[in-house]
Amino acid sequence: MKWLGYTARAVAIVLLVLLLVETDLFAPILAPLNDNGAPAIYHQGSLLFLALNHLGLVALSTFVGGALALIAGIFVTRPAGAEFLPLSRAIVNIGQTFPPIAVLAIAVPSLGFGAEPTLLALTLYGLLPIFENTMAGLKNVPPTALDAARGMGMTGSQRLFQVELPLALPVILTGIRLSFVINLGTATIGSTVGAKSLGEVIMAGITTTNTAYILQGGIIVALLAVLIYDGLGSLERYLAKRTGMAAAR
């Protein structure tokens, strides 16, 4: 039944593209949602531009947060850093403990309005999945692989970069996938502090009680999340198969 999956992906991609560049096509469907005769299609800004900005915020925050979480995860799995595990876990949990909207409220006075406070909130919010999966991936590297690497005379750094990280990569990618998709939905709150994102469409719908606007922004975010989650999942399965970790997982 693989063709069903391919068909569903193709339909989702076509629908996403039409929503972003030919939104007026959906006016007859969305118009009945507005009883007050308000416009059914959001024209205060380009949906494509907002979507690209939205993805940019999420990608940059995931990259920065991923780099920090990856370094921390590697560090605490080394003998020299094991004692810092509780502290590191407490730090990465901050993003999950404090809601992103609270981080925005704290960050705005010092960073101002716009993308900067949103990036900070998303970076903190996305640390935990990548950190935990980095540790899980490195700890589950087969001992036989490490013994073979030692037998070949590899140094600690060589074992890390040539053996451990490649074998742990599928698990680490799972954390990155979760972090990216979580932040994809969370990034909509950035519009409350002036960041350009699809949250602008949703907030416009909320403030004007325009259900059509809310639906446009929500569907686009949902389609992006599903397609990216599916794409990263396929990459993860491919890497797991390549590294021989699929059976172990």
Side-chain angles (χ1 to χ4, degrees), residues 95-247:
Q96 301 287 332
T97 303
F98 293 97
I101 194 68
V103 177
L104 287 177
I106 296 171
V108 164
S110 58
L111 296 178
F113 289 88
E116 289 79 5
T118 305
L119 286 170
L120 176 61
L122 294 178
T123 299
L124 291 175
Y125 200 58
L127 287 173
L128 184 62
I130 303 174
F131 175 76
E132 293 291 346
N133 277 53
T134 298
M135 287 199 306
L138 291 173
K139 288 181 178 179
N140 287 326
V141 172
T144 52
L146 294 176
D147 290 340
R150 292 190 188 95
M152 294 171 62
M154 286 187 177
T155 64
S157 60
Q158 287 175 328
R159 290 197 301 272
L160 173 64
F161 290 104
Q162 298 181 32
V163 179
E164 294 181 76
L165 284 176
L167 291 175
L169 186 57
V171 181
I172 295 172
L173 186 60
T174 300
I176 295 173
R177 174 167 56 132
L178 291 173
S179 178
F180 196 101
V181 173
I182 289 171
N183 279 348
L184 194 62
T186 308
T188 55
I189 67 170
S191 61
T192 61
V193 294
K196 289 293 184 180
S197 73
L198 290 166
E200 182 177 309
V201 185
I202 297 172
M203 290 302 299
I206 292 173
T207 55
T208 61
T209 63
N210 190 325
T211 307
Y213 285 1
I214 298 172
L215 197 59
Q216 285 170 68
I219 290 176
I220 292 171
V221 171
L223 287 172
L224 286 171
V226 169
L227 289 170
I228 291 173
Y229 188 87
D230 180 67
L232 291 176
S234 297
L235 177 60
E236 175 193 330
R237 289 187 293 273
Y238 170 77
L239 291 174
K241 186 176 180 180
R242 281 286 303 270
T243 58
M245 296 295 286

Side-chain angles (χ1 to χ4, degrees), residues 6-103:
Y6 295 141
T7 302
R9 292 188 191 101
V11 170
I13 291 171
V14 171
L15 180 59
L16 176 62
V17 171
L18 290 176
L19 280 168
L20 291 176
V21 300
E22 295 291 344
T23 320
D24 289 333
L25 291 175
F26 298 89
I29 300 172
L30 296 172
L33 297 176
N34 293 327
D35 297 329
N36 56 3
I41 303 300
Y42 184 82
H43 285 304
Q44 282 76 12
S46 166
L47 290 178
L48 179 59
F49 174 78
L50 292 174
L52 291 175
N53 271 276
H54 192 105
L55 287 173
L57 287 171
V58 177
L60 183 55
S61 62
T62 303
F63 176 79
V64 174
L68 294 173
L70 183 64
I71 292 170
I74 292 172
F75 178 65
V76 298
T77 56
R78 306 302 97 182
E83 62 183 294
F84 293 96
L85 174 57
L87 175 62
S88 300
R89 185 166 273 154
I91 292 173
V92 299
N93 269 309
I94 289 176
Q96 301 287 332
T97 303
F98 293 97
I101 194 68
V103 177

